[in-house]
Amino acid sequence: MPVSHQNALREDGKSNLNVGGTSNNNDMSDGMASGTTSAALVYKLCSHIIGLSSDVLTPSYQLALRTLSCISTAAIESDEFEVSEKIKKRLVKEKKEEDAVRFAELHQKLKGSIVLKNRWAVLCFLYNLTGLSNKYQTKNGPHGFCFAKFTMTSPLRNVGFTNTSKSYSNQQSRAVSTGKSLCTRTGSEKMVFTSLPSSYQLTHSGGSVDQGHGNLTDSGNGSVCSNSSSSRVAHMAALFSDREKLEGILVPVTTKKVISSQVQKQGSRTSNELGVPLLPESILLREVLFAFQGIDGKFIKMQPGKDKFHIDSKAGICGQVRRQLLRLTELGWMYNKVDKFCESQSYNKTLGLVGQSFVAALQEELSEYYRLLAVLESQLHNDVSTEGTYVSTRSGSLTLHQLVVWTLDPFVRMKQLAALIDSCHGQKGGALASTLYSYLHHADPSIHGLVRHVLSVVVQPIYKMLSHWIFSGELEDMYHEFFVAVNPSVPNTSLWHEKYSLRKTMVPSFLSLSQAKKVLCTGKAINFLRMVCHDHTSVRPRDEQTVRADASTESLFNQDQDSDFQRLLEAIYKETSCHVLKSMFAHYKFTDHLLAMRRYLLLGQGDFIRHLMDLLHEELPKSANMLYLHNLSGILESAIRATNAQFDSPDILQRLDVRLLEASVGDSGWDVFSLDYHVDGPIGTVFTPQCMNAYLRLFNALWRSKRMEYILSGMWQAQMTYSRLLRTLPGVLPILHYCHFILSEMVHFVQQVQYYITFEVMECSWAELQQKVVSADDLDQLIAAHEAFLDCIITRALLDEQSKDVMTQLCAIYDLISKFQDIQTEFWQQGLDEIAANKALESQVNAKTEMGKWGVTEAELEVRRQKQLEFKKKTVPTTKAQLCVLASSYQDMVQKFLLMIADHTDPNLRFLSFRLDFNEHYKSRNSRLQTSFTYQHRRRYVK
Amino acid sequence: MADSGGSGSTASTILQAKETFEIIQEISRLLNTGLDTETLAICVRLCESGVNPEALASVIRELRRESAAVKAGESNH
């Protein structure tokens, strides 16, 4: 409004000056506006106060006008109540309570009158002109610091005046130039000192009053500046009421006290040890704040070579403060470290999701830190910029000590973060989570909270991957951070065994290995169902959302207290595995196939095998390359049809087939024949090719021993029929007896061995397998049980590597048996020939006699007799010799076999040896067998 | 009081004005502003006309200083 007035003024030109009081300003008044306008009043004011002629007045007048027009007020409360309160407060502060009461009364009266329109303006004006009260209301911090500081001289003059108005600066500079009190000495630095504003306000809010007082103090102090003069003092004193003068006089006493104390401190604090003038606190604070952000300030810089902050030794900082600053800059160092880590990791392309979330958590912490820094900086800025306003004293502006206290907590946090970074360097995925987890067990709750927060952020990607895997069997792992690894090149047939594996390094330490295995199994099962069984039904009928609510990421690493995750995992695992097993048993008839294996490949179906052998008996003795597969398959078919095997399901029968092994030279059909069973699809997961190999080997061994049995039984039959016949031949009886003897030995042996294999080896293991199959929890267990079964059988049937000697021995025995069969058959043949020849002769004789001729000619008889003699003399002894040899070698072999198995670690084999030698038939012939098989003796035989 | 050139107010108004002015004077005295009657009167009028009171206060201070300087100069001679 004053502006508009002024403009109006200029436009108006002339107007009446209706001014009371002094009117010797007609010259001016011509150019002035009419009477009671503001300008005129101002002019009057000027003239009144200064009381000079008009030309001297002009500059002041113009200045006044300018001031009034261009000063913009900042945040003046146009609230009368507030102003009055302020006034009262001030009065109370000065311990003038009665005055305050009086003022309140007057104010009430004023309110009552309607004359004044702009009460608050008047009050405000009066308030702003109040003089003396706050002069010595310095900001007494808990340290003598503040006093010390503002008595220091500073090499930095005129630093950053933030004044808004020229008049202020004029006033200030005038104050400076008059060079009065201690305040003015430090007037130039007032912008920089945070403790100064109030004291400075005192100097300038009183205006001339302070000057007067300044004079007084100076005079009291003795450190009078040149410009002051006692005369002015006198004049000043005359200007004021008595009361003020009293106060004015009172004041120097107190200031003297204050100043003297200040002087004392001043002596120790004007400069640091080197004599360099000390830096003001706010500069140091600013430097420290820069250091907190890792930026080099003017005096505190990061040393390029070493990794630490360095304070410029030439700066005006004393030793104690220096150490304090260095302590504070440690926080900046920590910050640097964390920040650099975050930055470097952001360029790392192989960082992976877990690493990225770690960086994100760190950056969250850093933003908290920035917030704190922003608060500190704003406070510092505010303190600096409150110079020169009318606002009353600020309490709580920043000092170094406050900074130390406030940065204590961030310091601890930053330190922890730096420690985390150090330990996690170069790790990723689950390994990173494990490292962070190891920091979780910290007793300090704030650190615990911090690490917990970081860990929960870091674990989120892992949890996501995990839940995705166990719910839908899919692996979204671009950076290979998850502990389940997939090998995409593996085909579906071996999906279960080879496609998915456990990456042990990435298993976080808060998950146990069994849990990790369960996770792997669950996901594998889902994939198995989908790919191999083509079963796309969802394993989880429940909504995934509800399940997600069951467990959170925290429960993953909080498993001591929170078993949500474990429960979830168990539930899913059970469901999925059950589904798989159900599908295997019900849909793919796993048990049926297992049973079929047992019946056919392991010779369980006795009648079928026997019949097959009967049928193949003529075919197989042929040499191997003469065999044709289709012939054999035809035989197989007929065997199936003729026996109980035909009642099996056609699917199983289809899979049964003949297989011819590789034939080497001299092999007969017996060596190359084998049955085969085709497996595919999900069944193939359990019956892997290795398993099938094992089955075939077993079949081979069992088939061979079966064949021996078959041979022996055939021989026995032959013996029964032919021995009666051949008894009549001379010299044959001992041979027959001997053969019988050998045969029964062999029969006993083979029977015992068969018994052992069938009952002790196979049936027991089979029972175990059946049990395990029924109680299996998941496919892995099923597979394991099956493999264990096969391993066990193979070992105990002497088919594995260790029992090779024993097996060879057994095979040798079998060979002997076949040889015996050959000898036997030959002997029968010869014997039968002989008998047949005899019979023929007889019949011839009979026939001839019938015909009335001589029965037999002499020649024929002679031939006959020759033959007989030959038979008696040659065939019989040779056969006997052969048999002897055979028998003795058989004995040796059996004894050796007995020795081998008697020392065997398997107790069942030892029992076999007892059974084989139940009547000590072999023991009596072998001294070694006679020694008892106690521990000592066995030790001697250890190979 | 705001308009001395105004119409002849009733005596009561003048009385009121006078009273008010006295109150203001007293307040001024309490607050130790150092304003004499005439200055105070002018200032009140200025405030009433809408001048910024803080600015006005600073002007007063300035003027006081000026006058002090002048007087000092005068007295020196």
Side-chain angles (χ1 to χ4, degrees), chain A residues 619-886:
Chain A
E619 286 285 325
L620 287 184
K622 289 191 238 167
S623 122
N625 20 15
M626 300 275 289
L627 293 171
Y628 294 113
L629 201 56
H630 56 268
N631 281 348
L632 296 173
S633 314
I635 295 176
L636 180 68
E637 289 277 314
S638 49
I640 291 174
R641 266 181 281 122
T643 62
N644 275 336
Q646 64 188 299
F647 302 122
D648 254 343
S649 83
D651 176 45
I652 292 179
L653 292 174
Q654 263 172 15
R655 293 172 185 264
L656 201 56
D657 202 3
V658 173
R659 183 203 185 106
L660 290 177
L661 303 173
E662 300 229 338
S664 28
V665 178
D667 273 353
S668 76
W670 288 110
D671 302 322
V672 296
F673 176 79
S674 174
L675 281 180
D676 197 11
Y677 194 87
H678 295 292
V679 282
D680 56 8
I683 308 292
T685 318
V686 182
F687 297 117
T688 59
Q690 292 97 333
C691 289
M692 294 314 293
N693 258 343
Y695 272 120
L696 291 176
R697 278 169 65 198
L698 277 168
F699 174 80
N700 210 347
L702 291 168
W703 181 256
R704 207 171 331 141
S705 83
K706 199 80 182 196
R707 181 191 160 210
M708 290 301 127
E709 210 186 297
Y710 188 75
I711 291 173
L712 287 173
S713 68
M715 279 204 285
W716 185 88
Q717 262 183 345
Q719 265 196 2
M720 288 299 120
T721 36
Y722 298 145
S723 57
R724 247 180 285 120
L725 278 176
L726 291 181
R727 213 173 301 188
T728 53
L729 289 176
V732 164
L733 207 55
I735 295 180
L736 288 176
H737 180 73
Y738 202 34
C739 284
H740 189 78
F741 180 62
I742 294 173
L743 186 65
S744 29
E745 263 186 19
M746 285 182 176
V747 162
H748 171 77
F749 180 82
V750 167
Q751 260 185 353
Q752 288 302 313
V753 171
Q754 274 283 80
Y755 170 82
Y756 165 74
I757 286 185
T758 315
F759 288 101
E760 298 212 352
V761 173
M762 302 241 309
E763 284 298 320
C764 294
S765 307
W766 177 254
E768 263 182 56
L769 177 66
Q770 288 283 72
Q771 212 178 21
K772 280 194 193 157
V773 162
V774 166
S775 69
D777 270 341
D778 66 50
L779 196 53
D780 268 337
Q781 285 182 4
L782 196 66
I783 295 174
H786 182 246
E787 281 180 13
F789 162 72
L790 282 176
D791 278 340
C792 181
I793 298 185
I794 286 188
T795 318
R796 294 176 69 192
L798 308 168
L799 286 174
D800 62 349
E801 282 299 311
Q802 289 131 332
S803 321
K804 216 168 179 165
D805 315 334
V806 188
M807 202 56 207
T808 8
Q809 197 65 15
L810 199 60
C811 291
I813 295 178
Y814 288 163
D815 286 338
L816 277 180
I817 294 176
S818 340
K819 204 158 155 212
F820 176 61
Q821 187 199 30
D822 293 337
I823 298 176
Q824 271 267 280
T825 357
E826 210 195 300
F827 180 69
W828 295 146
Q829 206 51 46
Q830 285 170 338
L832 283 172
D833 282 345
E834 191 63 26
I835 290 188
N838 278 350
K839 250 218 170 82
L841 190 63
E842 241 184 76
S843 64
Q844 205 182 21
V845 166
N846 285 342
K848 276 217 175 134
T849 321
E850 295 269 309
M851 286 189 342
K853 286 203 204 149
W854 271 120
V856 58
T857 58
E858 193 56 40
E860 290 169 352
L861 211 59
E862 195 54 43
V863 164
R864 196 72 278 281
R865 229 175 277 129
Q866 278 286 55
K867 277 271 170 64
Q868 271 182 347
L869 208 64
E870 197 191 314
F871 180 80
K872 192 169 168 185
K873 284 280 161 32
K874 218 153 79 172
T875 336
V876 169
T878 37
T879 320
K880 202 167 187 172
Q882 277 177 339
L883 284 176
C884 267
V885 164
L886 184 89

Side-chain angles (χ1 to χ4, degrees), chain A residues 384-623:
Chain A
V384 167
S385 64
T386 49
E387 305 305 316
T389 63
Y390 292 100
V391 186
S392 60
T393 60
R394 291 184 67 83
S395 58
S397 63
L398 219 45
T399 65
L400 268 184
H401 285 262
Q402 276 178 334
L403 214 57
V404 168
V405 170
W406 288 344
T407 55
L408 195 63
D409 188 45
F411 181 72
V412 168
R413 288 170 86 88
M414 207 53 81
K415 197 158 160 188
Q416 185 65 23
L417 290 176
L420 289 177
I421 287 173
D422 271 337
S423 62
C424 297
H425 194 71
Q427 286 179 333
K428 62 178 207 171
L432 179 62
S434 301
T435 322
L436 286 178
Y437 181 68
S438 64
Y439 278 93
L440 190 62
H441 305 292
H442 201 284
D444 182 358
S446 67
I447 303 264
H448 179 85
L450 173 69
V451 178
R452 196 192 175 87
H453 173 71
V454 172
L455 187 62
S456 61
V457 171
V458 161
V459 160
Q460 258 176 20
I462 295 183
Y463 183 72
K464 200 156 150 267
M465 285 193 271
L466 195 141
S467 56
H468 211 80
W469 170 248
I470 62 179
F471 289 141
S472 58
E474 276 159 22
L475 211 51
E476 304 172 334
D477 185 17
M478 273 195 305
Y479 298 102
H480 307 290
E481 297 174 298
F482 196 46
F483 52 86
V484 173
V486 63
N487 185 355
S489 62
V490 170
N492 274 348
T493 47
S494 47
L495 180 139
W496 186 266
H497 295 279
E498 286 168 28
K499 193 157 184 181
Y500 299 103
S501 56
L502 211 54
R503 231 186 243 131
K504 294 235 169 63
T505 49
M506 289 296 179
V507 176
S509 49
F510 41 84
L511 286 180
S512 68
L513 202 57
S514 71
Q515 277 178 334
K517 283 197 178 124
K518 279 202 180 122
V519 166
L520 176 68
C521 190
T522 317
K524 252 201 307 193
I526 295 178
N527 273 310
F528 179 73
L529 283 172
R530 208 175 290 149
M531 302 294 169
V532 181
C533 307
H534 303 292
D535 176 9
H536 291 273
T537 61
S538 165
V539 177
R540 319 209 26 141
R542 276 197 296 164
D543 186 14
E544 265 193 48
Q545 296 305 109
T546 55
V547 171
R548 291 253 168 90
D550 293 349
S552 63
T553 48
E554 294 243 330
S555 70
L556 206 61
F557 57 80
N558 206 13
Q559 290 196 46
D560 303 336
Q561 294 130 18
D562 178 7
S563 62
D564 273 346
F565 175 69
Q566 175 69 11
R567 269 187 278 129
L568 174 70
L569 182 62
E570 285 285 323
I572 301 251
Y573 167 75
K574 239 190 183 59
E575 262 191 64
T576 328
S577 305
C578 276
H579 197 95
V580 168
L581 286 176
K582 223 175 2 154
S583 132
M584 279 290 269
F585 289 144
H587 197 238
Y588 291 98
K589 301 197 180 41
F590 171 73
T591 33
D592 288 350
H593 288 297
L594 193 63
L595 208 57
M597 287 284 197
R598 168 97 172 90
R599 288 223 293 263
Y600 298 115
L601 286 187
L602 298 183
L603 308 187
Q605 187 80 15
D607 60 342
F608 164 71
I609 296 292
R610 187 57 197 255
H611 191 69
L612 187 64
M613 206 168 267
D614 282 338
L615 293 174
L616 288 171
H617 183 67
E618 290 90 38
E619 286 285 325
L620 287 184
K622 289 191 238 167
S623 122

Side-chain angles (χ1 to χ4, degrees), chain B residues 10-29:
Chain B
T10 55
S12 61
T13 324
I14 297 176
L15 204 63
Q16 268 186 346
K18 220 168 159 206
E19 274 179 28
T20 316
F21 188 62
E22 275 171 17
I23 294 171
I24 294 177
Q25 257 188 317
E26 174 107 26
I27 295 178
S28 156
R29 199 182 47 85

Side-chain angles (χ1 to χ4, degrees), chain A residues 1 20-21 36 38 41-42 44-46 48-50 52 60 63-64 67-68 73 76 87 99 102-103 106 109-110 113-118 120-121 124-126 128-132 171 174 204-208 211 232 235-236 244 247 390, chain B residues 1-5 13 16-17 20 23-24 26-36 38-40 42-68 70-72 74-76:
Chain A
M1 238 203 304
T36 54
S38 319
L41 287 172
V42 173
K44 200 169 152 219
L45 190 66
C46 299
H48 176 77
I49 292 183
I50 298 183
L52 290 177
S60 322
L63 183 64
T67 312
L68 288 172
T73 58
I76 290 188
I87 295 175
D99 289 344
R102 181 98 188 96
F103 167 73
L106 293 169
K109 277 200 216 156
L110 205 59
S113 96
I114 49 164
V115 175
L116 273 188
K117 292 200 192 83
N118 215 346
W120 81 270
C124 193
F125 167 69
L126 290 174
N128 281 317
L129 277 184
T130 49
L132 322 162
Q171 259 181 324
R174 293 224 188 145
H204 106 162
S205 62
S208 56
Q211 286 186 345
R232 204 184 317 162
H235 174 74
M236 282 298 175
E244 288 166 26
E247 280 174 334
Y390 292 100
Chain B
M1 182 70 196
D3 228 71
S4 62
T13 324
Q16 268 186 346
T20 316
I23 294 171
I24 294 177
E26 174 107 26
I27 295 178
S28 156
R29 199 182 47 85
L30 278 177
L31 290 176
N32 212 359
T33 55
L35 294 169
D36 60 338
E38 186 156 351
T39 322
L40 187 59
I42 302 171
C43 290
V44 170
R45 277 161 75 183
L46 281 172
C47 285
E48 285 282 294
S49 60
V51 168
N52 186 337
E54 288 191 358
L56 185 58
S58 68
V59 168
I60 297 287
R61 278 199 284 265
E62 178 77 25
L63 290 174
R64 277 185 184 167
R65 236 183 353 85
E66 287 255 9
S67 74
V70 163
K71 295 230 169 54
E74 279 178 10
S75 60
N76 274 343

